[in-house]
Amino acid sequence: MVTLTHIGSVPSEVRNAFLFFSVLEFAVGILVNAFIFLVNFRDLVRRQPLSHCDLVLLSLSLTRLVLHGLLLLKAIQLTHFQRLKDPLSFSYQTIIVLWMIVNQAGLWFATCLSLLYCSKIVRFSHAFLLRAASWISRKIPQMLLSSVVLSCVCTLLCLWDFFSGSHFSVVTRLLTNNSTELNLNIAKLGFFHSFLFCSLASIPSFSLFLVSSGVLVFSLGRHVRMMRAKTGGSRDPSLEAHTRALRSLVSFFCLYVLSLCAALFSMPLLTLWHSKAGVMVCVGIMAACPSGHAVILISGNAKLRRAVDTILLWAQSSLRVRVDHKTDPRMSGLC
């Protein structure tokens, strides 16, 4: 008789600690991404003109908000609803596939941001590249709309592949006389196929992101060589623009690859090695990456930095008024 290997149980202290940190990551992620979204959405409501960079950040922050919601659902699923005999439950698979789809949409928006930086900062000498850069800088809203359409197409394809695989698994289970081990292997195979299909759909956007970021790196190297050939130590605005753009793009690249590797690594941890604690670590990494990149985006954007300074000044003045109110004897006598 074939025995079923259970997922390694996790102590309640570990589960509670993981859930606490998941809620904390969710709160931080919602805070920073909602801040980016609301600052730009406020200008949109007031009918103030939004720059192309603001439009990209608005779209990117919206996808990050959905990502954090899905990751919190995944954490709750792991800690409270994950059954030992069914590690790949339908609800868990659905959360993972939706995360892949939303993450792919965020990658398209990050690619638009990289192309925008490339068209605005890099100084091209070839006529074709000049026209291409000018076209990209003018067509960012259309590119964002195209990214949404492509994400929707990829969503339909991924969902079709996922649900057709689930239907195939159900039919196969009925034909195999409910063999437990065989049913689990069929479910794993179908889910891995859907997961790989969604991952491969990110190749075009990731390739564009790498090419545009590489052009920025090359342009920065050329600019630094030109500056070294000149005398004087004055600050160069072009060099600062290069540095800020590359900081946000390189950080996105590193955090995206780290998040994707954590998602890929969580699959064998759950289905082959049956380590729920390892999956929890991977989910924590996946949740920390979007929050970290949002903080870097805020620090590199002048408009968002001004909004942060305004909030801090308001909080400082409010705190000072409260302290003065408590320390003033005339005020305390009135209470």
PDB file of all heavy atoms in Angstrom, residues 213-237:
ATOM      1  N   SER A 213      17.550  48.984 -19.749  1.00  0.00           N
ATOM      2  CA  SER A 213      18.427  49.232 -18.598  1.00  0.00           C
ATOM      3  C   SER A 213      19.890  49.137 -19.011  1.00  0.00           C
ATOM      4  O   SER A 213      20.731  49.911 -18.533  1.00  0.00           O
ATOM      5  CB  SER A 213      18.126  48.229 -17.487  1.00  0.00           C
ATOM      6  OG  SER A 213      16.797  48.337 -17.045  1.00  0.00           O
ATOM      7  N   GLY A 214      20.213  48.202 -19.916  1.00  0.00           N
ATOM      8  CA  GLY A 214      21.580  48.103 -20.409  1.00  0.00           C
ATOM      9  C   GLY A 214      22.010  49.346 -21.166  1.00  0.00           C
ATOM     10  O   GLY A 214      23.166  49.785 -21.057  1.00  0.00           O
ATOM     11  N   VAL A 215      21.095  49.921 -21.940  1.00  0.00           N
ATOM     12  CA  VAL A 215      21.406  51.172 -22.647  1.00  0.00           C
ATOM     13  C   VAL A 215      21.692  52.286 -21.654  1.00  0.00           C
ATOM     14  O   VAL A 215      22.611  53.101 -21.843  1.00  0.00           O
ATOM     15  CB  VAL A 215      20.246  51.542 -23.591  1.00  0.00           C
ATOM     16  CG1 VAL A 215      20.454  52.934 -24.179  1.00  0.00           C
ATOM     17  CG2 VAL A 215      20.121  50.524 -24.708  1.00  0.00           C
ATOM     18  N   LEU A 216      20.937  52.328 -20.546  1.00  0.00           N
ATOM     19  CA  LEU A 216      21.181  53.333 -19.514  1.00  0.00           C
ATOM     20  C   LEU A 216      22.548  53.141 -18.857  1.00  0.00           C
ATOM     21  O   LEU A 216      23.259  54.115 -18.592  1.00  0.00           O
ATOM     22  CB  LEU A 216      20.087  53.264 -18.451  1.00  0.00           C
ATOM     23  CG  LEU A 216      18.894  54.197 -18.630  1.00  0.00           C
ATOM     24  CD1 LEU A 216      17.841  53.909 -17.578  1.00  0.00           C
ATOM     25  CD2 LEU A 216      19.324  55.641 -18.560  1.00  0.00           C
ATOM     26  N   VAL A 217      22.915  51.898 -18.595  1.00  0.00           N
ATOM     27  CA  VAL A 217      24.234  51.619 -18.003  1.00  0.00           C
ATOM     28  C   VAL A 217      25.345  52.051 -18.953  1.00  0.00           C
ATOM     29  O   VAL A 217      26.326  52.686 -18.545  1.00  0.00           O
ATOM     30  CB  VAL A 217      24.347  50.126 -17.659  1.00  0.00           C
ATOM     31  CG1 VAL A 217      25.766  49.790 -17.230  1.00  0.00           C
ATOM     32  CG2 VAL A 217      23.373  49.758 -16.545  1.00  0.00           C
ATOM     33  N   PHE A 218      25.186  51.725 -20.224  1.00  0.00           N
ATOM     34  CA  PHE A 218      26.181  52.119 -21.215  1.00  0.00           C
ATOM     35  C   PHE A 218      26.277  53.640 -21.314  1.00  0.00           C
ATOM     36  O   PHE A 218      27.373  54.212 -21.406  1.00  0.00           O
ATOM     37  CB  PHE A 218      25.823  51.513 -22.575  1.00  0.00           C
ATOM     38  CG  PHE A 218      26.734  51.934 -23.693  1.00  0.00           C
ATOM     39  CD1 PHE A 218      27.986  51.361 -23.838  1.00  0.00           C
ATOM     40  CD2 PHE A 218      26.335  52.911 -24.596  1.00  0.00           C
ATOM     41  CE1 PHE A 218      28.835  51.764 -24.869  1.00  0.00           C
ATOM     42  CE2 PHE A 218      27.162  53.308 -25.626  1.00  0.00           C
ATOM     43  CZ  PHE A 218      28.421  52.730 -25.755  1.00  0.00           C
ATOM     44  N   SER A 219      25.116  54.321 -21.290  1.00  0.00           N
ATOM     45  CA  SER A 219      25.116  55.777 -21.376  1.00  0.00           C
ATOM     46  C   SER A 219      25.775  56.396 -20.144  1.00  0.00           C
ATOM     47  O   SER A 219      26.504  57.393 -20.257  1.00  0.00           O
ATOM     48  CB  SER A 219      23.675  56.277 -21.507  1.00  0.00           C
ATOM     49  OG  SER A 219      23.616  57.680 -21.456  1.00  0.00           O
ATOM     50  N   LEU A 220      25.527  55.800 -18.976  1.00  0.00           N
ATOM     51  CA  LEU A 220      26.164  56.320 -17.763  1.00  0.00           C
ATOM     52  C   LEU A 220      27.678  56.169 -17.828  1.00  0.00           C
ATOM     53  O   LEU A 220      28.423  57.094 -17.466  1.00  0.00           O
ATOM     54  CB  LEU A 220      25.620  55.581 -16.540  1.00  0.00           C
ATOM     55  CG  LEU A 220      26.260  55.950 -15.197  1.00  0.00           C
ATOM     56  CD1 LEU A 220      26.028  57.418 -14.878  1.00  0.00           C
ATOM     57  CD2 LEU A 220      25.720  55.063 -14.082  1.00  0.00           C
ATOM     58  N   GLY A 221      28.155  55.013 -18.296  1.00  0.00           N
ATOM     59  CA  GLY A 221      29.602  54.826 -18.429  1.00  0.00           C
ATOM     60  C   GLY A 221      30.228  55.817 -19.390  1.00  0.00           C
ATOM     61  O   GLY A 221      31.298  56.384 -19.116  1.00  0.00           O
ATOM     62  N   ARG A 222      29.541  56.058 -20.501  1.00  0.00           N
ATOM     63  CA  ARG A 222      30.064  57.030 -21.468  1.00  0.00           C
ATOM     64  C   ARG A 222      30.064  58.432 -20.889  1.00  0.00           C
ATOM     65  O   ARG A 222      31.018  59.204 -21.097  1.00  0.00           O
ATOM     66  CB  ARG A 222      29.212  56.979 -22.736  1.00  0.00           C
ATOM     67  CG  ARG A 222      29.694  57.880 -23.855  1.00  0.00           C
ATOM     68  CD  ARG A 222      28.804  57.752 -25.071  1.00  0.00           C
ATOM     69  NE  ARG A 222      27.434  58.139 -24.773  1.00  0.00           N
ATOM     70  CZ  ARG A 222      26.439  58.104 -25.663  1.00  0.00           C
ATOM     71  NH1 ARG A 222      26.678  57.651 -26.890  1.00  0.00           N
ATOM     72  NH2 ARG A 222      25.225  58.471 -25.322  1.00  0.00           N
ATOM     73  N   HIS A 223      29.025  58.764 -20.139  1.00  0.00           N
ATOM     74  CA  HIS A 223      28.943  60.098 -19.545  1.00  0.00           C
ATOM     75  C   HIS A 223      30.028  60.298 -18.484  1.00  0.00           C
ATOM     76  O   HIS A 223      30.614  61.384 -18.379  1.00  0.00           O
ATOM     77  CB  HIS A 223      27.561  60.309 -18.939  1.00  0.00           C
ATOM     78  CG  HIS A 223      27.308  61.699 -18.465  1.00  0.00           C
ATOM     79  ND1 HIS A 223      27.027  62.743 -19.319  1.00  0.00           N
ATOM     80  CD2 HIS A 223      27.324  62.233 -17.218  1.00  0.00           C
ATOM     81  CE1 HIS A 223      26.865  63.850 -18.624  1.00  0.00           C
ATOM     82  NE2 HIS A 223      27.037  63.570 -17.341  1.00  0.00           N
ATOM     83  N   VAL A 224      30.288  59.262 -17.683  1.00  0.00           N
ATOM     84  CA  VAL A 224      31.325  59.375 -16.655  1.00  0.00           C
ATOM     85  C   VAL A 224      32.692  59.567 -17.298  1.00  0.00           C
ATOM     86  O   VAL A 224      33.516  60.368 -16.818  1.00  0.00           O
ATOM     87  CB  VAL A 224      31.304  58.122 -15.752  1.00  0.00           C
ATOM     88  CG1 VAL A 224      32.541  58.071 -14.865  1.00  0.00           C
ATOM     89  CG2 VAL A 224      30.046  58.111 -14.895  1.00  0.00           C
ATOM     90  N   ARG A 225      32.948  58.878 -18.392  1.00  0.00           N
ATOM     91  CA  ARG A 225      34.234  59.054 -19.090  1.00  0.00           C
ATOM     92  C   ARG A 225      34.370  60.462 -19.632  1.00  0.00           C
ATOM     93  O   ARG A 225      35.461  61.060 -19.587  1.00  0.00           O
ATOM     94  CB  ARG A 225      34.357  58.027 -20.226  1.00  0.00           C
ATOM     95  CG  ARG A 225      34.582  56.604 -19.742  1.00  0.00           C
ATOM     96  CD  ARG A 225      35.018  55.702 -20.894  1.00  0.00           C
ATOM     97  NE  ARG A 225      33.987  55.621 -21.924  1.00  0.00           N
ATOM     98  CZ  ARG A 225      33.041  54.698 -21.959  1.00  0.00           C
ATOM     99  NH1 ARG A 225      32.979  53.776 -20.993  1.00  0.00           N
ATOM    100  NH2 ARG A 225      32.144  54.664 -22.930  1.00  0.00           N
ATOM    101  N   MET A 226      33.268  61.012 -20.137  1.00  0.00           N
ATOM    102  CA  MET A 226      33.314  62.385 -20.641  1.00  0.00           C
ATOM    103  C   MET A 226      33.556  63.373 -19.504  1.00  0.00           C
ATOM    104  O   MET A 226      34.298  64.352 -19.675  1.00  0.00           O
ATOM    105  CB  MET A 226      32.002  62.715 -21.362  1.00  0.00           C
ATOM    106  CG  MET A 226      31.789  61.974 -22.678  1.00  0.00           C
ATOM    107  SD  MET A 226      30.158  62.298 -23.394  1.00  0.00           S
ATOM    108  CE  MET A 226      30.198  64.083 -23.541  1.00  0.00           C
ATOM    109  N   MET A 227      32.964  63.129 -18.354  1.00  0.00           N
ATOM    110  CA  MET A 227      33.152  64.032 -17.222  1.00  0.00           C
ATOM    111  C   MET A 227      34.577  63.963 -16.680  1.00  0.00           C
ATOM    112  O   MET A 227      35.138  64.967 -16.234  1.00  0.00           O
ATOM    113  CB  MET A 227      32.164  63.675 -16.103  1.00  0.00           C
ATOM    114  CG  MET A 227      30.721  64.001 -16.440  1.00  0.00           C
ATOM    115  SD  MET A 227      30.448  65.763 -16.736  1.00  0.00           S
ATOM    116  CE  MET A 227      30.878  66.417 -15.125  1.00  0.00           C
ATOM    117  N   ARG A 228      35.178  62.789 -16.705  1.00  0.00           N
ATOM    118  CA  ARG A 228      36.556  62.653 -16.241  1.00  0.00           C
ATOM    119  C   ARG A 228      37.525  63.394 -17.154  1.00  0.00           C
ATOM    120  O   ARG A 228      38.592  63.850 -16.717  1.00  0.00           O
ATOM    121  CB  ARG A 228      36.945  61.179 -16.165  1.00  0.00           C
ATOM    122  CG  ARG A 228      36.313  60.439 -14.984  1.00  0.00           C
ATOM    123  CD  ARG A 228      36.695  58.984 -15.007  1.00  0.00           C
ATOM    124  NE  ARG A 228      36.113  58.265 -13.863  1.00  0.00           N
ATOM    125  CZ  ARG A 228      36.193  56.949 -13.685  1.00  0.00           C
ATOM    126  NH1 ARG A 228      36.828  56.203 -14.589  1.00  0.00           N
ATOM    127  NH2 ARG A 228      35.652  56.386 -12.631  1.00  0.00           N
ATOM    128  N   ALA A 229      37.155  63.482 -18.426  1.00  0.00           N
ATOM    129  CA  ALA A 229      38.033  64.193 -19.361  1.00  0.00           C
ATOM    130  C   ALA A 229      37.979  65.703 -19.170  1.00  0.00           C
ATOM    131  O   ALA A 229      38.860  66.426 -19.644  1.00  0.00           O
ATOM    132  CB  ALA A 229      37.650  63.846 -20.801  1.00  0.00           C
ATOM    133  N   LYS A 230      36.959  66.179 -18.463  1.00  0.00           N
ATOM    134  CA  LYS A 230      36.837  67.606 -18.215  1.00  0.00           C
ATOM    135  C   LYS A 230      37.377  67.942 -16.834  1.00  0.00           C
ATOM    136  O   LYS A 230      37.529  67.105 -15.977  1.00  0.00           O
ATOM    137  CB  LYS A 230      35.372  68.045 -18.313  1.00  0.00           C
ATOM    138  CG  LYS A 230      34.760  67.835 -19.688  1.00  0.00           C
ATOM    139  CD  LYS A 230      33.302  68.266 -19.686  1.00  0.00           C
ATOM    140  CE  LYS A 230      32.662  68.056 -21.049  1.00  0.00           C
ATOM    141  NZ  LYS A 230      31.243  68.467 -21.050  1.00  0.00           N
ATOM    142  N   THR A 231      37.669  69.190 -16.638  1.00  0.00           N
ATOM    143  CA  THR A 231      38.132  69.663 -15.323  1.00  0.00           C
ATOM    144  C   THR A 231      36.974  70.297 -14.593  1.00  0.00           C
ATOM    145  O   THR A 231      35.971  70.693 -15.186  1.00  0.00           O
ATOM    146  CB  THR A 231      39.263  70.691 -15.494  1.00  0.00           C
ATOM    147  OG1 THR A 231      38.781  71.780 -16.291  1.00  0.00           O
ATOM    148  CG2 THR A 231      40.471  70.058 -16.144  1.00  0.00           C
ATOM    149  N   GLY A 232      37.142  70.438 -13.285  1.00  0.00           N
ATOM    150  CA  GLY A 232      36.086  71.058 -12.477  1.00  0.00           C
ATOM    151  C   GLY A 232      35.287  70.020 -11.741  1.00  0.00           C
ATOM    152  O   GLY A 232      35.080  68.912 -12.212  1.00  0.00           O
ATOM    153  N   GLY A 233      34.828  70.352 -10.566  1.00  0.00           N
ATOM    154  CA  GLY A 233      34.086  69.417  -9.727  1.00  0.00           C
ATOM    155  C   GLY A 233      32.649  69.819  -9.513  1.00  0.00           C
ATOM    156  O   GLY A 233      32.081  69.506  -8.471  1.00  0.00           O
ATOM    157  N   SER A 234      32.079  70.567 -10.456  1.00  0.00           N
ATOM    158  CA  SER A 234      30.687  70.984 -10.295  1.00  0.00           C
ATOM    159  C   SER A 234      29.763  69.787 -10.467  1.00  0.00           C
ATOM    160  O   SER A 234      30.067  68.840 -11.175  1.00  0.00           O
ATOM    161  CB  SER A 234      30.337  72.061 -11.323  1.00  0.00           C
ATOM    162  OG  SER A 234      30.546  71.553 -12.640  1.00  0.00           O
ATOM    163  N   ARG A 235      28.612  69.860  -9.801  1.00  0.00           N
ATOM    164  CA  ARG A 235      27.646  68.788  -9.883  1.00  0.00           C
ATOM    165  C   ARG A 235      26.998  68.789 -11.254  1.00  0.00           C
ATOM    166  O   ARG A 235      26.652  69.833 -11.813  1.00  0.00           O
ATOM    167  CB  ARG A 235      26.594  68.959  -8.795  1.00  0.00           C
ATOM    168  CG  ARG A 235      27.149  68.881  -7.393  1.00  0.00           C
ATOM    169  CD  ARG A 235      26.079  69.145  -6.360  1.00  0.00           C
ATOM    170  NE  ARG A 235      25.014  68.159  -6.426  1.00  0.00           N
ATOM    171  CZ  ARG A 235      23.919  68.203  -5.676  1.00  0.00           C
ATOM    172  NH1 ARG A 235      23.747  69.208  -4.822  1.00  0.00           N
ATOM    173  NH2 ARG A 235      22.994  67.271  -5.777  1.00  0.00           N
ATOM    174  N   ASP A 236      26.813  67.579 -11.792  1.00  0.00           N
ATOM    175  CA  ASP A 236      26.253  67.432 -13.129  1.00  0.00           C
ATOM    176  C   ASP A 236      24.828  66.894 -13.008  1.00  0.00           C
ATOM    177  O   ASP A 236      24.625  65.771 -12.525  1.00  0.00           O
ATOM    178  CB  ASP A 236      27.126  66.482 -13.951  1.00  0.00           C
ATOM    179  CG  ASP A 236      26.614  66.321 -15.362  1.00  0.00           C
ATOM    180  OD1 ASP A 236      25.938  67.245 -15.855  1.00  0.00           O
ATOM    181  OD2 ASP A 236      26.850  65.265 -15.961  1.00  0.00           O
ATOM    182  N   PRO A 237      23.804  67.653 -13.448  1.00  0.00           N
ATOM    183  CA  PRO A 237      22.426  67.161 -13.349  1.00  0.00           C
ATOM    184  C   PRO A 237      22.192  65.886 -14.152  1.00  0.00           C
ATOM    185  O   PRO A 237      21.408  65.031 -13.740  1.00  0.00           O
ATOM    186  CB  PRO A 237      21.595  68.331 -13.895  1.00  0.00           C
ATOM    187  CG  PRO A 237      22.479  69.537 -13.759  1.00  0.00           C
ATOM    188  CD  PRO A 237      23.875  69.026 -13.946  1.00  0.00           C
TER     189      PRO A 237
END
